[in-house]
Amino acid sequence: MAYRRMFRAATVVCAAVMAGTVPAGGRAVADSPVTDVRVRPVAAAPSPTPSPSPDPFKGLSADQIADRAVSATQSATSLRMAGRVTSDDQPLDVDFSLNDKQECSGRMKIKGGAAELRQMDKITYMKGDERFWRVSMTSQGVPERQIDATIELLKGRWLKITPGQAGSRDLSGVCDLKALLADMGKDKDKDKDERGELTRGPDAKVDGTPVATLVNKKPGDGTTTVSVSQKGKPYILKMVKADGDEPGTMVLSDFDKPVKVVVPPADETVDLSKLDQGTRT
């Protein structure tokens, strides 16, 4: 199971958004890390709890349970993903609801800054606080004078980003649920040394739902614990990656529930194509 795909998705969301919101006159530097952040400890794996009766996975190996979990999760038409991941010593907090129509609504936090993101019809709307915009543009080399002018123009307003606009990355794939889940399960095609050892751990609960826990130990890349629902469809409900690259915790919920996306009123938006015109001096 390619668990890291889910963790990396959170990193991609923030990196793409930050790189995609540079005014046309700014200098975009992809994947420019933001440093000097405090990393909180990764949450522990679910607490052991007595197994429910009967066990829906009785007689199945850890790999067989994983196959069922991947299939169920990939079949979801929508879900919510919330948690914290760390990449390049940079903690990223995300809370997104997205569906298979590339619609989403959510929030993210990075280095003390916060932003809200909505996407509908492949058009992205972002509303960040001053700290978020300053961190985003500073990390990409935008001149200080232009940053101040941009922040003043965006105060209390949404930035509207349309695919193909000059000065931006295409953010239409940020909320692509199918792409997010596409690579799950591909590790089974690798040899055992490369994919690591998958075993079943003690049963537990995630937000009151009984789960089976799958533990994946990969040499040189830490330990990942995955919680699979024992009630209803065997969705993946929680993933915890300790040590190695990109440690973090991700909780999945609200499977197949409607995702409500409210498009901001036109008078509360600023089009990215016009942003540079209003900040150029």
Side-chain angles (χ1 to χ4, degrees):
M1 298 171 69
Y3 310 118
R4 291 182 63 187
R5 174 76 179 186
M6 298 297 293
F7 291 114
R8 185 171 292 115
T11 306
V12 169
V13 166
C14 288
V17 166
M18 292 179 70
T21 55
V22 180
R27 179 174 60 88
V29 182
D31 303 322
S32 178
V34 179
T35 56
D36 188 24
V37 291
R38 292 178 293 176
V39 180
R40 294 184 300 186
V42 173
S47 301
T49 190
S51 300
S53 182
D55 178 3
F57 304 125
K58 184 177 180 180
L60 298 181
S61 67
D63 286 325
Q64 290 172 324
I65 297 173
D67 288 342
R68 291 193 179 189
V70 168
S71 295
T73 305
Q74 287 181 326
S75 73
T77 58
S78 65
L79 58 80
R80 177 184 179 185
M81 53 181 289
R84 163 170 283 200
V85 296
T86 301
S87 180
D88 296 326
D89 295 324
Q90 173 181 304
L92 308 171
D93 293 301
V94 297
D95 187 346
F96 276 85
S97 294
L98 60 164
N99 62 24
D100 57 2
K101 298 178 182 178
Q102 296 190 34
E103 299 170 341
C104 73
S105 180
R107 295 177 173 81
M108 67 187 74
K109 293 181 180 179
I110 182 170
K111 200 182 178 183
E116 189 173 353
L117 181 147
R118 300 175 188 175
Q119 189 173 105
M120 174 75 78
D121 297 327
K122 296 186 178 182
I123 298 177
T124 305
Y125 302 88
M126 285 204 62
K127 187 177 184 179
D129 60 18
E130 178 178 345
R131 182 62 175 168
F132 178 85
W133 291 126
R134 191 169 297 280
V135 168
S136 175
M137 289 185 282
T138 298
S139 70
Q140 296 171 66
V142 179
E144 187 69 25
R145 183 171 57 181
Q146 187 172 346
I147 292 176
D148 292 338
T150 301
I151 290 175
E152 184 63 29
L153 185 62
L154 289 175
K155 188 176 297 183
R157 304 170 80 181
W158 294 82
L159 180 62
K160 179 181 178 181
I161 307 168
T162 303
Q165 282 184 318
S168 74
R169 280 187 175 182
D170 184 0
L171 299 181
S172 60
V174 166
C175 298
D176 191 336
L177 177 62
K178 292 182 179 179
L180 173 70
L181 302 176
D183 287 347
M184 296 184 71
K186 287 190 175 180
D187 278 353
K188 66 182 180 181
D189 297 328
K190 301 177 181 179
D191 60 47
K192 187 173 181 180
D193 290 338
E194 188 176 359
R195 71 173 185 264
E197 181 181 5
L198 185 66
T199 59
R200 182 170 178 176
D203 289 350
K205 284 188 176 182
V206 173
D207 293 332
T209 300
V211 296
T213 61
L214 303 178
V215 182
N216 181 247
K217 294 184 178 180
K218 193 172 182 179
D221 195 30
T223 300
T224 301
T225 302
V226 179
S227 301
V228 181
S229 178
Q230 291 180 301
K231 183 178 180 181
K233 291 185 178 181
Y235 290 128
I236 296 174
L237 300 185
K238 187 174 184 179
M239 296 172 288
V240 179
K241 187 173 186 297
D243 305 320
D245 294 332
E246 299 175 354
T249 298
M250 193 66 61
V251 175
L252 306 183
S253 62
D254 294 348
F255 292 93
D256 303 318
K257 292 185 178 181
V259 175
K260 184 178 181 181
V261 182
V262 178
V263 175
D267 60 356
E268 295 180 12
T269 67
V270 177
D271 194 280
L272 179 63
S273 62
K274 300 179 181 178
L275 188 59
D276 187 50
Q277 300 173 18
T279 59
R280 187 181 296 159
T281 57

Short mmCIF file of all heavy atoms in Angstrom, two decimals, residues 179-233:
data_model
loop_
_atom_site.label_atom_id
_atom_site.label_comp_id
_atom_site.label_asym_id
_atom_site.label_seq_id
_atom_site.Cartn_x
_atom_site.Cartn_y
_atom_site.Cartn_z
N ALA A 179 -6.84 11.14 -8.49
CA ALA A 179 -5.38 11.14 -8.57
C ALA A 179 -4.77 10.89 -7.19
O ALA A 179 -3.75 10.22 -7.07
CB ALA A 179 -4.89 12.47 -9.13
N LEU A 180 -5.42 11.43 -6.17
CA LEU A 180 -4.93 11.26 -4.80
C LEU A 180 -4.88 9.79 -4.40
O LEU A 180 -3.94 9.33 -3.75
CB LEU A 180 -5.84 12.03 -3.84
CG LEU A 180 -5.59 11.85 -2.34
CD1 LEU A 180 -4.29 12.50 -1.94
CD2 LEU A 180 -6.74 12.44 -1.54
N LEU A 181 -5.90 9.03 -4.81
CA LEU A 181 -6.02 7.64 -4.40
C LEU A 181 -5.43 6.66 -5.42
O LEU A 181 -5.34 5.47 -5.14
CB LEU A 181 -7.49 7.30 -4.18
CG LEU A 181 -8.24 8.14 -3.14
CD1 LEU A 181 -9.71 7.73 -3.11
CD2 LEU A 181 -7.62 7.98 -1.76
N ALA A 182 -5.03 7.16 -6.58
CA ALA A 182 -4.66 6.28 -7.69
C ALA A 182 -3.50 5.33 -7.38
O ALA A 182 -3.50 4.18 -7.81
CB ALA A 182 -4.32 7.12 -8.93
N ASP A 183 -2.50 5.81 -6.64
CA ASP A 183 -1.30 5.00 -6.44
C ASP A 183 -1.38 4.08 -5.24
O ASP A 183 -0.43 3.33 -4.98
CB ASP A 183 -0.08 5.92 -6.29
CG ASP A 183 0.34 6.54 -7.61
OD1 ASP A 183 -0.16 6.07 -8.64
OD2 ASP A 183 1.14 7.48 -7.60
N MET A 184 -2.47 4.13 -4.50
CA MET A 184 -2.58 3.25 -3.34
C MET A 184 -2.59 1.80 -3.81
O MET A 184 -3.28 1.43 -4.74
CB MET A 184 -3.85 3.55 -2.55
CG MET A 184 -3.90 4.94 -1.95
SD MET A 184 -5.36 5.21 -0.92
CE MET A 184 -4.95 4.17 0.48
N GLY A 185 -1.82 0.97 -3.13
CA GLY A 185 -1.80 -0.44 -3.47
C GLY A 185 -0.68 -0.84 -4.41
O GLY A 185 -0.45 -2.03 -4.61
N LYS A 186 0.02 0.13 -4.98
CA LYS A 186 1.05 -0.23 -5.95
C LYS A 186 2.28 -0.88 -5.32
O LYS A 186 3.06 -1.51 -6.00
CB LYS A 186 1.46 1.01 -6.76
CG LYS A 186 0.40 1.44 -7.76
CD LYS A 186 0.91 2.50 -8.70
CE LYS A 186 -0.12 2.84 -9.76
NZ LYS A 186 0.37 3.88 -10.70
N ASP A 187 2.42 -0.72 -4.00
CA ASP A 187 3.58 -1.33 -3.34
C ASP A 187 3.57 -2.85 -3.45
O ASP A 187 4.60 -3.49 -3.34
CB ASP A 187 3.64 -0.92 -1.86
CG ASP A 187 4.28 0.44 -1.69
OD1 ASP A 187 4.79 0.98 -2.68
OD2 ASP A 187 4.27 0.96 -0.56
N LYS A 188 2.38 -3.44 -3.63
CA LYS A 188 2.31 -4.91 -3.67
C LYS A 188 3.04 -5.47 -4.89
O LYS A 188 3.35 -6.67 -4.93
CB LYS A 188 0.86 -5.39 -3.65
CG LYS A 188 0.05 -5.03 -4.89
CD LYS A 188 -1.38 -5.51 -4.73
CE LYS A 188 -2.23 -5.18 -5.95
NZ LYS A 188 -3.63 -5.63 -5.79
N ASP A 189 3.30 -4.61 -5.88
CA ASP A 189 4.02 -5.05 -7.07
C ASP A 189 5.53 -5.04 -6.87
O ASP A 189 6.28 -5.49 -7.73
CB ASP A 189 3.66 -4.18 -8.27
CG ASP A 189 2.18 -4.27 -8.64
OD1 ASP A 189 1.61 -5.36 -8.44
OD2 ASP A 189 1.62 -3.26 -9.09
N LYS A 190 5.96 -4.51 -5.74
CA LYS A 190 7.39 -4.44 -5.46
C LYS A 190 7.82 -5.67 -4.66
O LYS A 190 6.99 -6.38 -4.08
CB LYS A 190 7.71 -3.18 -4.65
CG LYS A 190 7.33 -1.88 -5.36
CD LYS A 190 7.61 -0.69 -4.46
CE LYS A 190 7.20 0.63 -5.15
NZ LYS A 190 7.45 1.79 -4.28
N ASP A 191 9.12 -5.92 -4.62
CA ASP A 191 9.58 -7.05 -3.82
C ASP A 191 9.52 -6.68 -2.34
O ASP A 191 9.40 -5.52 -1.97
CB ASP A 191 11.00 -7.49 -4.22
CG ASP A 191 12.04 -6.38 -4.05
OD1 ASP A 191 12.06 -5.74 -2.99
OD2 ASP A 191 12.83 -6.16 -4.98
N LYS A 192 9.57 -7.71 -1.50
CA LYS A 192 9.36 -7.52 -0.05
C LYS A 192 10.37 -6.57 0.56
O LYS A 192 10.03 -5.76 1.42
CB LYS A 192 9.42 -8.87 0.66
CG LYS A 192 9.05 -8.79 2.13
CD LYS A 192 8.96 -10.17 2.75
CE LYS A 192 8.58 -10.09 4.23
NZ LYS A 192 8.49 -11.44 4.84
N ASP A 193 11.63 -6.64 0.12
CA ASP A 193 12.65 -5.77 0.70
C ASP A 193 12.35 -4.31 0.43
O ASP A 193 12.63 -3.44 1.26
CB ASP A 193 14.03 -6.12 0.13
CG ASP A 193 14.54 -7.47 0.62
OD1 ASP A 193 14.04 -7.92 1.68
OD2 ASP A 193 15.40 -8.06 -0.05
N GLU A 194 11.75 -4.02 -0.72
CA GLU A 194 11.47 -2.64 -1.09
C GLU A 194 10.20 -2.11 -0.43
O GLU A 194 10.13 -0.96 -0.02
CB GLU A 194 11.34 -2.52 -2.61
CG GLU A 194 11.24 -1.09 -3.11
CD GLU A 194 11.20 -1.00 -4.62
OE1 GLU A 194 11.27 -2.05 -5.29
OE2 GLU A 194 11.10 0.13 -5.13
N ARG A 195 9.17 -2.95 -0.33
CA ARG A 195 7.90 -2.47 0.21
C ARG A 195 7.81 -2.60 1.72
O ARG A 195 6.93 -2.04 2.36
CB ARG A 195 6.73 -3.22 -0.43
CG ARG A 195 6.59 -4.68 -0.03
CD ARG A 195 5.31 -5.27 -0.60
NE ARG A 195 5.08 -6.63 -0.15
CZ ARG A 195 5.40 -7.72 -0.81
NH1 ARG A 195 6.00 -7.60 -1.98
NH2 ARG A 195 5.15 -8.93 -0.32
N GLY A 196 8.73 -3.38 2.33
CA GLY A 196 8.70 -3.55 3.77
C GLY A 196 7.77 -4.67 4.20
O GLY A 196 7.10 -5.30 3.38
N GLU A 197 7.74 -4.92 5.50
CA GLU A 197 6.94 -6.01 6.05
C GLU A 197 5.62 -5.48 6.58
O GLU A 197 5.57 -4.54 7.36
CB GLU A 197 7.71 -6.71 7.17
CG GLU A 197 6.97 -7.88 7.79
CD GLU A 197 7.75 -8.53 8.92
OE1 GLU A 197 8.82 -8.00 9.27
OE2 GLU A 197 7.27 -9.54 9.45
N LEU A 198 4.52 -6.11 6.15
CA LEU A 198 3.19 -5.70 6.59
C LEU A 198 2.62 -6.77 7.51
O LEU A 198 2.51 -7.94 7.15
CB LEU A 198 2.27 -5.52 5.38
CG LEU A 198 0.86 -4.98 5.67
CD1 LEU A 198 0.94 -3.55 6.19
CD2 LEU A 198 0.01 -5.02 4.40
N THR A 199 2.26 -6.36 8.73
CA THR A 199 1.70 -7.28 9.72
C THR A 199 0.45 -6.67 10.34
O THR A 199 0.21 -5.46 10.24
CB THR A 199 2.71 -7.59 10.84
OG1 THR A 199 3.08 -6.35 11.50
CG2 THR A 199 3.97 -8.25 10.28
N ARG A 200 -0.35 -7.50 10.98
CA ARG A 200 -1.53 -7.00 11.68
C ARG A 200 -1.17 -6.77 13.15
O ARG A 200 -0.64 -7.64 13.82
CB ARG A 200 -2.70 -7.99 11.57
CG ARG A 200 -3.97 -7.48 12.25
CD ARG A 200 -5.18 -8.33 11.94
NE ARG A 200 -6.36 -7.82 12.64
CZ ARG A 200 -7.59 -8.31 12.50
NH1 ARG A 200 -7.81 -9.34 11.68
NH2 ARG A 200 -8.61 -7.79 13.17
N GLY A 201 -1.49 -5.59 13.63
CA GLY A 201 -1.24 -5.26 15.03
C GLY A 201 -2.51 -5.41 15.85
O GLY A 201 -3.52 -5.94 15.39
N PRO A 202 -2.47 -4.91 17.11
CA PRO A 202 -3.64 -5.02 17.99
C PRO A 202 -4.81 -4.20 17.43
O PRO A 202 -4.63 -3.13 16.88
CB PRO A 202 -3.14 -4.41 19.30
CG PRO A 202 -1.66 -4.46 19.23
CD PRO A 202 -1.32 -4.29 17.79
N ASP A 203 -6.03 -4.74 17.58
CA ASP A 203 -7.21 -3.98 17.17
C ASP A 203 -7.35 -2.74 18.03
O ASP A 203 -6.83 -2.68 19.16
CB ASP A 203 -8.47 -4.84 17.29
CG ASP A 203 -8.53 -5.93 16.23
OD1 ASP A 203 -7.70 -5.91 15.30
OD2 ASP A 203 -9.40 -6.81 16.35
N ALA A 204 -8.05 -1.73 17.52
CA ALA A 204 -8.15 -0.46 18.23
C ALA A 204 -9.45 0.23 17.84
O ALA A 204 -10.35 -0.38 17.25
CB ALA A 204 -6.94 0.42 17.91
N LYS A 205 -9.57 1.51 18.16
CA LYS A 205 -10.71 2.33 17.75
C LYS A 205 -10.22 3.67 17.24
O LYS A 205 -9.25 4.22 17.75
CB LYS A 205 -11.68 2.55 18.92
CG LYS A 205 -12.54 1.35 19.26
CD LYS A 205 -13.61 1.71 20.29
CE LYS A 205 -14.54 0.53 20.55
NZ LYS A 205 -15.62 0.87 21.53
N VAL A 206 -10.91 4.20 16.24
CA VAL A 206 -10.66 5.54 15.72
C VAL A 206 -11.98 6.29 15.79
O VAL A 206 -12.94 5.93 15.11
CB VAL A 206 -10.13 5.51 14.28
CG1 VAL A 206 -10.04 6.93 13.72
CG2 VAL A 206 -8.77 4.84 14.22
N ASP A 207 -12.03 7.31 16.65
CA ASP A 207 -13.26 8.07 16.85
C ASP A 207 -14.45 7.16 17.13
O ASP A 207 -15.55 7.37 16.62
CB ASP A 207 -13.56 8.95 15.63
CG ASP A 207 -12.53 10.05 15.45
OD1 ASP A 207 -11.95 10.47 16.47
OD2 ASP A 207 -12.29 10.48 14.31
N GLY A 208 -14.22 6.13 17.94
CA GLY A 208 -15.29 5.24 18.35
C GLY A 208 -15.57 4.08 17.41
O GLY A 208 -16.33 3.17 17.76
N THR A 209 -14.96 4.09 16.24
CA THR A 209 -15.16 3.00 15.28
C THR A 209 -14.08 1.94 15.46
O THR A 209 -12.89 2.26 15.44
CB THR A 209 -15.11 3.53 13.84
OG1 THR A 209 -16.14 4.50 13.65
CG2 THR A 209 -15.29 2.39 12.84
N PRO A 210 -14.46 0.67 15.63
CA PRO A 210 -13.45 -0.39 15.76
C PRO A 210 -12.66 -0.55 14.47
O PRO A 210 -13.23 -0.50 13.37
CB PRO A 210 -14.28 -1.64 16.08
CG PRO A 210 -15.65 -1.34 15.56
CD PRO A 210 -15.84 0.14 15.73
N VAL A 211 -11.37 -0.73 14.62
CA VAL A 211 -10.49 -0.86 13.45
C VAL A 211 -9.49 -1.98 13.63
O VAL A 211 -9.13 -2.35 14.74
CB VAL A 211 -9.71 0.46 13.18
CG1 VAL A 211 -10.64 1.59 12.83
CG2 VAL A 211 -8.83 0.82 14.38
N ALA A 212 -9.08 -2.52 12.50
CA ALA A 212 -7.93 -3.42 12.46
C ALA A 212 -6.72 -2.55 12.13
O ALA A 212 -6.81 -1.63 11.32
CB ALA A 212 -8.12 -4.49 11.40
N THR A 213 -5.60 -2.82 12.77
CA THR A 213 -4.40 -2.03 12.50
C THR A 213 -3.40 -2.84 11.69
O THR A 213 -3.15 -4.01 11.99
CB THR A 213 -3.72 -1.55 13.80
OG1 THR A 213 -3.33 -2.68 14.58
CG2 THR A 213 -4.68 -0.69 14.61
N LEU A 214 -2.88 -2.21 10.66
CA LEU A 214 -1.84 -2.81 9.84
C LEU A 214 -0.56 -2.03 10.04
O LEU A 214 -0.55 -0.80 9.97
CB LEU A 214 -2.24 -2.79 8.36
CG LEU A 214 -3.57 -3.47 8.01
CD1 LEU A 214 -3.85 -3.32 6.52
CD2 LEU A 214 -3.54 -4.94 8.40
N VAL A 215 0.51 -2.73 10.31
CA VAL A 215 1.79 -2.09 10.60
C VAL A 215 2.79 -2.41 9.50
O VAL A 215 3.03 -3.58 9.18
CB VAL A 215 2.35 -2.56 11.97
CG1 VAL A 215 3.66 -1.84 12.27
CG2 VAL A 215 1.33 -2.31 13.07
N ASN A 216 3.33 -1.37 8.88
CA ASN A 216 4.27 -1.52 7.79
C ASN A 216 5.63 -0.98 8.24
O ASN A 216 5.76 0.21 8.49
CB ASN A 216 3.78 -0.79 6.54
CG ASN A 216 4.74 -0.94 5.37
OD1 ASN A 216 5.36 0.02 4.94
ND2 ASN A 216 4.85 -2.14 4.84
N LYS A 217 6.60 -1.86 8.33
CA LYS A 217 7.96 -1.45 8.69
C LYS A 217 8.82 -1.55 7.45
O LYS A 217 9.01 -2.64 6.89
CB LYS A 217 8.50 -2.34 9.81
CG LYS A 217 7.77 -2.18 11.13
CD LYS A 217 8.41 -3.02 12.23
CE LYS A 217 7.68 -2.81 13.56
NZ LYS A 217 8.29 -3.61 14.65
N LYS A 218 9.34 -0.39 7.05
CA LYS A 218 10.14 -0.33 5.84
C LYS A 218 11.56 0.09 6.21
O LYS A 218 11.76 1.14 6.82
CB LYS A 218 9.53 0.68 4.86
CG LYS A 218 10.08 0.61 3.46
CD LYS A 218 9.26 1.50 2.54
CE LYS A 218 9.75 1.42 1.12
NZ LYS A 218 8.94 2.26 0.20
N PRO A 219 12.55 -0.71 5.88
CA PRO A 219 13.93 -0.38 6.25
C PRO A 219 14.34 1.01 5.82
O PRO A 219 14.19 1.40 4.67
CB PRO A 219 14.74 -1.45 5.50
CG PRO A 219 13.79 -2.59 5.33
CD PRO A 219 12.45 -1.97 5.11
N GLY A 220 14.80 1.82 6.78
CA GLY A 220 15.26 3.16 6.49
C GLY A 220 14.17 4.19 6.30
O GLY A 220 14.45 5.35 6.01
N ASP A 221 12.90 3.78 6.47
CA ASP A 221 11.82 4.72 6.23
C ASP A 221 10.75 4.68 7.33
O ASP A 221 9.61 5.05 7.12
CB ASP A 221 11.16 4.45 4.87
CG ASP A 221 10.27 5.60 4.41
OD1 ASP A 221 10.57 6.75 4.77
OD2 ASP A 221 9.29 5.34 3.72
N GLY A 222 11.14 4.24 8.52
CA GLY A 222 10.24 4.30 9.65
C GLY A 222 9.11 3.29 9.61
O GLY A 222 9.11 2.33 8.83
N THR A 223 8.11 3.53 10.46
CA THR A 223 6.98 2.63 10.61
C THR A 223 5.67 3.36 10.34
O THR A 223 5.46 4.46 10.83
CB THR A 223 6.93 2.04 12.03
OG1 THR A 223 8.14 1.31 12.29
CG2 THR A 223 5.74 1.12 12.21
N THR A 224 4.81 2.75 9.54
CA THR A 224 3.50 3.33 9.24
C THR A 224 2.42 2.42 9.80
O THR A 224 2.43 1.21 9.57
CB THR A 224 3.29 3.48 7.73
OG1 THR A 224 4.31 4.31 7.19
CG2 THR A 224 1.93 4.12 7.45
N THR A 225 1.49 3.00 10.56
CA THR A 225 0.37 2.25 11.11
C THR A 225 -0.91 2.72 10.44
O THR A 225 -1.20 3.92 10.43
CB THR A 225 0.26 2.44 12.64
OG1 THR A 225 1.48 2.02 13.25
CG2 THR A 225 -0.90 1.63 13.20
N VAL A 226 -1.65 1.80 9.85
CA VAL A 226 -2.87 2.12 9.12
C VAL A 226 -4.05 1.47 9.83
O VAL A 226 -4.02 0.27 10.15
CB VAL A 226 -2.78 1.62 7.67
CG1 VAL A 226 -4.08 1.93 6.92
CG2 VAL A 226 -1.61 2.28 6.96
N SER A 227 -5.10 2.24 10.07
CA SER A 227 -6.31 1.75 10.74
C SER A 227 -7.41 1.53 9.71
O SER A 227 -7.78 2.45 8.99
CB SER A 227 -6.77 2.76 11.80
OG SER A 227 -5.75 2.99 12.75
N VAL A 228 -7.93 0.30 9.66
CA VAL A 228 -8.95 -0.08 8.68
C VAL A 228 -10.26 -0.36 9.41
O VAL A 228 -10.30 -1.15 10.35
CB VAL A 228 -8.51 -1.33 7.89
CG1 VAL A 228 -9.57 -1.71 6.86
CG2 VAL A 228 -7.16 -1.10 7.22
N SER A 229 -11.32 0.26 8.95
CA SER A 229 -12.62 0.13 9.61
C SER A 229 -13.10 -1.32 9.63
O SER A 229 -13.05 -2.02 8.61
CB SER A 229 -13.66 1.00 8.92
OG SER A 229 -14.94 0.83 9.52
N GLN A 230 -13.59 -1.75 10.79
CA GLN A 230 -14.18 -3.07 10.92
C GLN A 230 -15.71 -2.98 10.88
O GLN A 230 -16.40 -3.98 11.07
CB GLN A 230 -13.74 -3.72 12.23
CG GLN A 230 -12.26 -4.09 12.25
CD GLN A 230 -11.85 -4.73 13.56
OE1 GLN A 230 -12.00 -4.14 14.62
NE2 GLN A 230 -11.36 -5.96 13.49
N LYS A 231 -16.21 -1.79 10.63
CA LYS A 231 -17.65 -1.56 10.58
C LYS A 231 -18.02 -0.99 9.21
O LYS A 231 -17.47 0.01 8.78
CB LYS A 231 -18.07 -0.59 11.68
CG LYS A 231 -19.56 -0.33 11.76
CD LYS A 231 -19.87 0.62 12.91
CE LYS A 231 -21.37 0.90 13.01
NZ LYS A 231 -21.67 1.85 14.13
N GLY A 232 -18.95 -1.63 8.51
CA GLY A 232 -19.31 -1.17 7.17
C GLY A 232 -18.20 -1.46 6.18
O GLY A 232 -17.48 -2.46 6.29
N LYS A 233 -18.01 -0.58 5.21
CA LYS A 233 -16.94 -0.76 4.24
C LYS A 233 -15.58 -0.62 4.92
O LYS A 233 -15.42 0.22 5.81
CB LYS A 233 -17.07 0.27 3.11
CG LYS A 233 -18.27 0.06 2.20
CD LYS A 233 -18.24 1.05 1.04
CE LYS A 233 -19.41 0.81 0.10
NZ LYS A 233 -19.37 1.76 -1.07
#
